[in-house]
Amino acid sequence: SVKVGAAEAKKKADIVVYGHTHVPVIKWHDNILVINPGSPARPRMGTPTYGILTMTGENKPKAEIFEVREKFL
């Protein structure tokens, strides 16, 4: 499960984005969208990934994680 720190919860965050672990994650935790896009260059799960966060005033934010299809030069 994803744990959101007390500091983030106290700030009433709607979205938390982190990346230190290089492991891709998209989870909702107590109405907070938690995102880790993974890593396009040094993934820990084997497949390079990146994330796209889409926000509009009409809907909830949407996060997606995609695999990198080409090698970096």
Side-chain angles (χ1 to χ4, degrees), residues 9-63:
K10 287 180 184 177
K11 292 179 185 178
K12 305 290 183 191
D14 294 322
I15 302 169
V16 174
V17 179
Y18 69 101
H20 181 72
T21 65
H22 294 210
V23 178
V25 171
I26 298 175
K27 298 267 185 178
W28 283 93
H29 180 77
D30 294 333
N31 287 327
I32 298 172
L33 179 57
V34 180
I35 307 163
N36 183 335
S39 173
R42 295 183 181 193
R44 294 221 177 136
M45 300 302 286
T47 302
T49 58
Y50 64 96
I52 294 181
L53 174 62
T54 304
M55 300 186 321
T56 65
E58 301 168 4
N59 299 311
K60 281 187 166 184
K62 178 182 175 185

